[in-house]
Amino acid sequence: MALREKVESRFAGELAPGEHVLDALVAFRTGGVRETTTAGMALAARRGQTEAPHVPISTPGRFVFSLTSHRVALFTVGGIVRAAPGKPLHSWTLDQLAWVSEPELNSGVAQALRGQIGVASEGVLGYEFARLQADAGRSMINRLARALQELET
């Protein structure tokens, strides 16, 4: 079962009418890919939205980052052999997101796709996707940016 399907199952009964899980990946807090390996510019800015405070939103070293048609949700990483969504950490509806940064691929041995999401009245979510998930991560963040732009129209 794919991680997206596991998140959908984890949300059982909690999804709003018409809401479906679009994507899910294991993510790391900023700098987490390098820690694990060794041991912006806004894509979408939302008018009329309270600016996100410059306070980092706390996350564990690894977490499941999921995007639904209505929200971004984070879970702890569960599962014994394969990653699965564990306990809910954060959930924000798309209208709570102030901006999404253009993700950047950092260089070095522990390459990672790194970005940030501004959450109105809460802070800034920093995340990284490991090198093998960089393309899927970029695709998910671009999908999120398009969804935020559609909210404006």
Side-chain angles (χ1 to χ4, degrees), residues 89-124:
L89 293 170
H90 299 283
S91 180
W92 303 285
T93 57
L94 297 181
D95 63 352
Q96 291 177 287
L97 304 181
W99 50 267
V100 177
S101 74
E102 176 72 43
E104 296 179 3
L105 190 64
N106 70 345
S107 59
V109 176
Q111 283 187 334
L113 184 70
R114 183 178 288 173
Q116 296 180 322
I117 298 172
V119 181
S121 303
E122 272 197 59
V124 177

Coordinates of all heavy atoms in Angstrom, one line a residue, residues 89-124:
L89 N 0.2 15.4 13.9 CA 1.0 16.5 14.5 C 0.4 17.9 14.3 O 0.2 18.7 15.2 CB 2.4 16.5 13.8 CG 3.3 15.3 14.1 CD1 4.5 15.3 13.2 CD2 3.7 15.3 15.6
H90 N 0.1 18.2 13.0 CA -0.5 19.5 12.6 C -1.4 19.2 11.4 O -1.2 18.3 10.6 CB 0.6 20.4 12.2 CG 1.6 20.8 13.2 ND1 1.4 21.6 14.2 CD2 2.9 20.4 13.4 CE1 2.5 21.7 15.0 NE2 3.4 21.0 14.5
S91 N -2.4 20.1 11.3 CA -3.3 20.1 10.2 C -3.7 21.5 9.9 O -4.2 22.2 10.8 CB -4.5 19.2 10.4 OG -5.3 19.2 9.3
W92 N -3.5 22.0 8.7 CA -3.9 23.4 8.3 C -4.7 23.3 7.0 O -4.3 22.7 6.0 CB -2.7 24.2 8.1 CG -1.8 24.3 9.3 CD1 -2.0 25.0 10.4 CD2 -0.5 23.7 9.4 NE1 -0.9 24.8 11.2 CE2 0.0 24.0 10.6 CE3 0.3 22.9 8.5 CZ2 1.3 23.6 11.1 CZ3 1.5 22.4 9.0 CH2 2.0 22.8 10.3
T93 N -5.8 24.0 7.0 CA -6.6 24.1 5.8 C -5.8 25.0 4.8 O -5.0 25.8 5.3 CB -8.0 24.6 6.0 OG1 -7.9 25.9 6.7 CG2 -8.8 23.7 6.9
L94 N -6.1 24.9 3.6 CA -5.3 25.7 2.6 C -5.5 27.2 2.8 O -4.5 27.9 2.6 CB -5.7 25.3 1.2 CG -5.5 23.9 0.8 CD1 -5.9 23.6 -0.7 CD2 -4.0 23.5 0.9
D95 N -6.6 27.6 3.3 CA -6.8 29.1 3.5 C -6.0 29.6 4.7 O -5.9 30.8 5.0 CB -8.3 29.4 3.6 CG -9.0 28.8 4.8 OD1 -8.4 27.9 5.5 OD2 -10.2 29.1 5.0
Q96 N -5.4 28.7 5.5 CA -4.6 29.1 6.6 C -3.1 29.3 6.2 O -2.3 29.8 7.0 CB -4.6 28.0 7.8 CG -5.9 27.9 8.5 CD -5.9 26.8 9.5 OE1 -5.9 25.6 9.2 NE2 -5.8 27.2 10.8
L97 N -2.8 28.9 5.0 CA -1.4 29.0 4.5 C -1.2 30.3 3.9 O -2.0 30.7 3.0 CB -1.1 27.9 3.5 CG -1.4 26.4 4.1 CD1 -1.0 25.4 3.0 CD2 -0.6 26.2 5.3
A98 N -0.2 31.1 4.3 CA 0.1 32.4 3.8 C 0.9 32.4 2.6 O 0.7 33.2 1.7 CB 0.8 33.2 4.9
W99 N 1.9 31.5 2.5 CA 2.7 31.4 1.3 C 3.5 30.1 1.3 O 3.5 29.3 2.3 CB 3.8 32.5 1.3 CG 4.5 32.7 2.6 CD1 4.2 33.6 3.6 CD2 5.7 32.1 3.0 NE1 5.1 33.5 4.6 CE2 6.0 32.5 4.3 CE3 6.5 31.1 2.4 CZ2 7.1 32.1 5.0 CZ3 7.6 30.6 3.1 CH2 7.9 31.2 4.4
V100 N 4.0 29.8 0.1 CA 4.8 28.6 -0.1 C 6.1 29.0 -0.8 O 6.0 29.7 -1.8 CB 4.1 27.5 -1.0 CG1 5.0 26.3 -1.2 CG2 2.8 27.1 -0.3
S101 N 7.3 28.7 -0.3 CA 8.5 29.0 -0.9 C 8.8 28.1 -2.1 O 8.4 27.0 -2.1 CB 9.7 29.0 0.1 OG 10.1 27.7 0.4
E102 N 9.6 28.6 -3.0 CA 10.2 27.8 -4.1 C 11.2 26.8 -3.4 O 12.1 27.2 -2.8 CB 10.9 28.7 -5.1 CG 11.5 28.0 -6.2 CD 10.5 27.4 -7.2 OE1 9.6 28.1 -7.6 OE2 10.7 26.2 -7.6
P103 N 10.9 25.5 -3.6 CA 11.9 24.6 -3.0 C 13.2 24.6 -3.7 O 13.3 24.8 -4.9 CB 11.2 23.2 -3.1 CG 10.2 23.4 -4.2 CD 9.8 24.8 -4.2
E104 N 14.3 24.4 -2.9 CA 15.6 24.4 -3.5 C 16.4 23.1 -3.2 O 16.3 22.6 -2.1 CB 16.4 25.6 -2.9 CG 15.9 26.9 -3.3 CD 16.7 28.1 -2.7 OE1 17.7 27.8 -2.0 OE2 16.3 29.2 -2.9
L105 N 17.1 22.6 -4.1 CA 17.9 21.4 -3.9 C 19.3 21.9 -3.4 O 20.0 22.6 -4.0 CB 18.1 20.7 -5.2 CG 18.7 19.3 -5.1 CD1 17.8 18.4 -4.3 CD2 19.0 18.7 -6.5
N106 N 19.6 21.5 -2.1 CA 20.9 21.9 -1.6 C 21.9 20.9 -2.1 O 21.6 19.8 -2.6 CB 20.8 21.9 0.0 CG 20.7 20.6 0.6 OD1 20.4 19.6 -0.1 ND2 20.9 20.5 1.9
S107 N 23.2 21.3 -2.0 CA 24.3 20.5 -2.6 C 24.9 19.8 -1.5 O 24.6 19.9 -0.3 CB 25.3 21.4 -3.3 OG 25.8 22.4 -2.4
G108 N 25.9 19.0 -1.8 CA 26.6 18.2 -0.9 C 26.3 16.7 -0.9 O 25.5 16.3 -1.7
V109 N 26.8 16.0 0.0 CA 26.6 14.5 0.0 C 25.2 14.2 0.3 O 24.6 13.3 -0.3 CB 27.6 13.8 1.0 CG1 27.3 12.4 1.1 CG2 29.0 14.1 0.6
A110 N 24.6 14.9 1.2 CA 23.2 14.6 1.7 C 22.3 15.6 1.0 O 21.7 16.5 1.6 CB 23.1 14.7 3.2
Q111 N 22.2 15.5 -0.3 CA 21.3 16.4 -1.1 C 19.8 16.2 -0.6 O 19.4 15.1 -0.3 CB 21.3 16.1 -2.6 CG 22.5 16.6 -3.2 CD 22.5 16.4 -4.7 OE1 21.8 15.6 -5.2 NE2 23.2 17.3 -5.5
A112 N 19.1 17.3 -0.5 CA 17.8 17.4 -0.1 C 17.1 18.5 -0.8 O 17.7 19.6 -1.0 CB 17.7 17.5 1.4
L113 N 15.8 18.3 -1.0 CA 14.9 19.4 -1.5 C 14.4 20.1 -0.3 O 13.6 19.5 0.5 CB 13.8 18.9 -2.4 CG 12.9 19.9 -3.1 CD1 13.7 20.7 -4.1 CD2 11.7 19.3 -3.7
R114 N 14.7 21.4 -0.1 CA 14.3 22.1 1.1 C 13.4 23.3 0.8 O 13.6 23.9 -0.3 CB 15.6 22.7 1.7 CG 15.5 23.4 3.0 CD 16.8 23.8 3.5 NE 17.6 22.7 3.9 CZ 18.9 22.7 4.3 NH1 19.5 23.8 4.3 NH2 19.5 21.6 4.8
G115 N 12.4 23.5 1.6 CA 11.5 24.6 1.4 C 10.8 25.0 2.7 O 11.1 24.4 3.8
Q116 N 9.9 26.0 2.6 CA 9.2 26.5 3.8 C 7.8 26.8 3.4 O 7.5 27.1 2.2 CB 9.9 27.8 4.3 CG 11.2 27.6 4.8 CD 11.8 28.9 5.4 OE1 11.6 29.9 4.8 NE2 12.6 28.8 6.5
I117 N 6.9 26.7 4.4 CA 5.5 27.1 4.2 C 5.1 28.0 5.3 O 5.4 27.7 6.5 CB 4.6 25.9 4.2 CG1 4.9 24.9 3.0 CG2 3.1 26.3 4.1 CD1 4.2 23.6 3.1
G118 N 4.6 29.2 5.0 CA 4.2 30.1 6.0 C 2.7 29.8 6.4 O 1.8 29.7 5.6
V119 N 2.5 29.7 7.7 CA 1.2 29.4 8.2 C 0.7 30.6 9.0 O 1.3 31.0 10.0 CB 1.2 28.1 9.1 CG1 -0.2 27.8 9.7 CG2 1.8 26.9 8.4
A120 N -0.4 31.2 8.5 CA -0.9 32.5 9.1 C -1.1 32.3 10.6 O -1.6 31.3 11.1 CB -2.1 32.9 8.4
S121 N -0.7 33.3 11.4 CA -0.8 33.3 12.8 C -0.1 32.2 13.6 O -0.3 32.1 14.8 CB -2.3 33.3 13.2 OG -3.0 34.4 12.6
E122 N 0.7 31.4 12.9 CA 1.4 30.3 13.6 C 2.9 30.3 13.5 O 3.6 30.3 14.4 CB 0.9 28.9 13.2 CG -0.3 28.4 13.9 CD -0.5 27.0 13.8 OE1 0.4 26.2 14.1 OE2 -1.6 26.6 13.3
G123 N 3.4 30.4 12.2 CA 4.8 30.4 12.0 C 5.2 29.8 10.7 O 4.4 29.8 9.7
V124 N 6.4 29.3 10.6 CA 7.0 28.8 9.3 C 7.3 27.4 9.5 O 8.0 27.0 10.4 CB 8.2 29.6 8.9 CG1 8.8 29.1 7.7 CG2 7.8 31.1 8.7

